[in-house]
Amino acid sequence: MQGNDIVNLVSPFKNKLFRLALRIVGSTHEAEDVIQEVLVKVWKKKEQFLELNNKEAWCMTVTRNLCIDKIRARKMRTSDVTEHYD
């Protein structure tokens, strides 16, 4: 299976995935990053992905989880200076 085949499988609901990511992370750039990560995950698990009955639901779940991870990483990068000051 080629990369274009994976994109074609995800293509019918890619806009829905992007809207979900944008709603959660609030940034077009970060939403695009999330969707790219979703495609990488699909590619890495392509055999399992092809066997799924509801590919859209799986992609929505992965998108949501990656968005949450991105928000958590953002919160970890910004912390109060007083927490690190002795």
Side-chain angles (χ1 to χ4, degrees):
M1 175 159 275
Q2 299 292 322
N4 288 339
D5 296 334
I6 293 293
V7 172
N8 289 337
L9 287 173
V10 177
S11 185
F13 42 89
K14 70 178 169 67
N15 291 335
K16 188 175 182 180
L17 296 175
F18 179 77
R19 287 191 307 270
L20 173 66
L22 182 59
R23 192 172 351 118
I24 295 172
V25 297
S27 161
T28 303
H29 178 70
E30 285 185 327
E32 290 170 349
D33 287 347
V34 167
I35 300 308
Q36 188 173 10
E37 290 177 45
V38 170
L39 291 174
V40 169
K41 278 195 177 279
V42 169
W43 177 255
K44 287 182 178 179
K45 298 181 181 226
K46 59 187 169 224
E47 289 81 21
Q48 296 167 344
F49 183 76
L50 293 172
E51 294 176 6
L52 291 172
N53 291 329
N54 194 341
K55 292 170 180 53
E56 181 179 356
W58 186 86
C59 286
M60 293 291 282
T61 302
V62 170
T63 301
R64 180 185 52 113
N65 291 343
L66 289 171
C67 287
I68 291 169
D69 291 346
K70 193 164 277 294
I71 289 170
R72 285 182 183 152
R74 189 187 313 156
K75 286 181 181 178
M76 291 177 78
R77 278 185 270 146
T78 58
S79 59
D80 193 348
V81 174
T82 57
E83 294 175 14
H84 303 287
Y85 182 72
D86 287 330

